[in-house]
Amino acid sequence: MSSLFVVVAFAVLAVVVLQATDADALQLFFQRKSPDVSSSLPSTSVGVSRRRLLVDSSAAAGAALCSGLILTSSPLPSEAATKTDDKLYNLSKDELASMIYKDVTENQFLVTGHLTRSIYDESATFQDEIDTYRMDDWIKGTAKLFVASKSHVTLPADSIRVTESTVEFPFQETLCFNIPLLFPTVNLSGKIRMERTSPEEGGLIVKYRELWDQDVPTVLSSVQWFGGSARN
């Protein structure tokens, strides 16, 4: 996940291109794939992930590396990285919804990685449009990717829908990328889809999937620099 820091730098120059290129050229630019991206995952026409934004901007790799940006890590929340066998099996729908609501609104886990591990199976995967991550990798990568104090996620009350097999909820967020000095900030919205194991297996969350409402150029067009509030 340390490679995410380098990819964030690529997005910085992509924004410069955004301001100097016509819309058709931008669409072609952001559709290009990095040669390092695996094509083994099934494609989807719905949404893009935060990491998709960064990887699709990798055409600027050489120039970004030459810019001399030094990327630093945010400290990991101590609880987020602690494994536990104290799993909370077969929670009621209301109990699970309440815990996830707290993770989103209080723990801000979408930008800090600080989730309630006891409601996740240890084999849980966190998937975006590019790759699938194990839980520890996602936790560490998320904590490093964003500046928590300048990022924020909001969730409407009573918007989490829990069934025996799934969890789904919408979100809106402001993301400040952890690039020292520049701290580019964007706004976006989307939804999270989770899958649960069967009641016989404990009803834990075993898969996380994040989808954006906006396409890449739209998100990048909201960028503000130096940790300022992104344009809507």
Side-chain angles (χ1 to χ4, degrees):
M1 296 296 287
S2 61
S3 61
L4 288 173
F5 298 117
V6 176
V7 183
V8 172
F10 303 162
V12 173
L13 288 190
V15 174
V16 175
V17 174
L18 177 70
Q19 297 175 349
T21 314
D22 61 58
D24 291 338
L26 279 173
Q27 190 64 32
L28 292 173
F29 176 81
F30 286 109
Q31 285 176 346
R32 288 184 291 183
K33 297 291 190 295
S34 165
D36 295 328
V37 174
S38 170
S39 59
S40 60
L41 293 177
S43 60
T44 176
S45 60
V46 184
V48 292
S49 72
R50 291 180 288 189
R51 290 174 180 82
R52 174 65 175 273
L53 165 65
L54 304 179
V55 176
D56 276 358
S57 301
S58 63
L65 291 175
C66 292
S67 69
L69 290 175
I70 300 175
L71 304 178
T72 59
S73 302
S74 297
L76 287 176
S78 57
E79 295 179 27
T82 302
K83 292 185 179 180
T84 175
D85 293 328
D86 299 328
K87 298 299 183 182
L88 299 175
Y89 296 107
N90 292 321
L91 292 172
S92 70
K93 295 176 182 178
D94 288 343
E95 288 173 327
L96 183 56
S98 177
M99 287 190 162
I100 293 174
Y101 183 81
K102 180 179 179 180
D103 273 355
V104 176
T105 59
E106 295 184 26
N107 295 340
Q108 293 284 302
F109 89 103
L110 291 178
V111 295
T112 65
H114 187 184
L115 50 74
T116 301
R117 192 163 188 145
S118 56
I119 63 176
Y120 292 83
D121 190 276
E122 285 301 312
S123 67
T125 57
F126 292 72
Q127 184 179 356
D128 60 26
E129 300 292 330
I130 295 300
D131 207 348
T132 300
Y133 306 90
R134 293 300 180 186
M135 183 156 49
D136 284 330
D137 292 334
W138 186 87
I139 289 171
K140 294 174 184 176
T142 300
K144 292 176 179 178
L145 189 58
F146 305 112
V147 180
S149 62
K150 296 180 179 295
S151 302
H152 188 71
V153 183
T154 58
L155 175 67
D158 301 321
S159 62
I160 299 175
R161 299 290 177 259
V162 179
T163 71
E164 186 176 275
S165 60
T166 64
V167 178
E168 185 170 313
F169 58 88
F171 67 88
Q172 292 183 324
E173 59 186 358
T174 297
L175 302 175
C176 180
F177 292 99
N178 189 24
I179 301 180
L181 302 180
L182 298 177
F183 298 112
T185 303
V186 298
N187 288 327
L188 64 95
S189 61
K191 67 174 59 177
I192 303 295
R193 293 174 182 167
M194 299 174 172
E195 296 179 10
R196 304 175 67 188
T197 58
S198 66
E200 293 74 19
E201 295 175 304
L204 298 174
I205 297 168
V206 73
K207 185 175 181 180
Y208 164 107
R209 184 88 164 98
E210 180 182 323
L211 299 169
W212 281 9
D213 292 333
Q214 300 85 7
D215 59 20
V216 173
T218 300
V219 173
L220 285 179
S221 69
S222 74
V223 73
Q224 288 287 286
W225 302 99
F226 314 114
S229 298
R231 295 186 295 265
N232 292 316

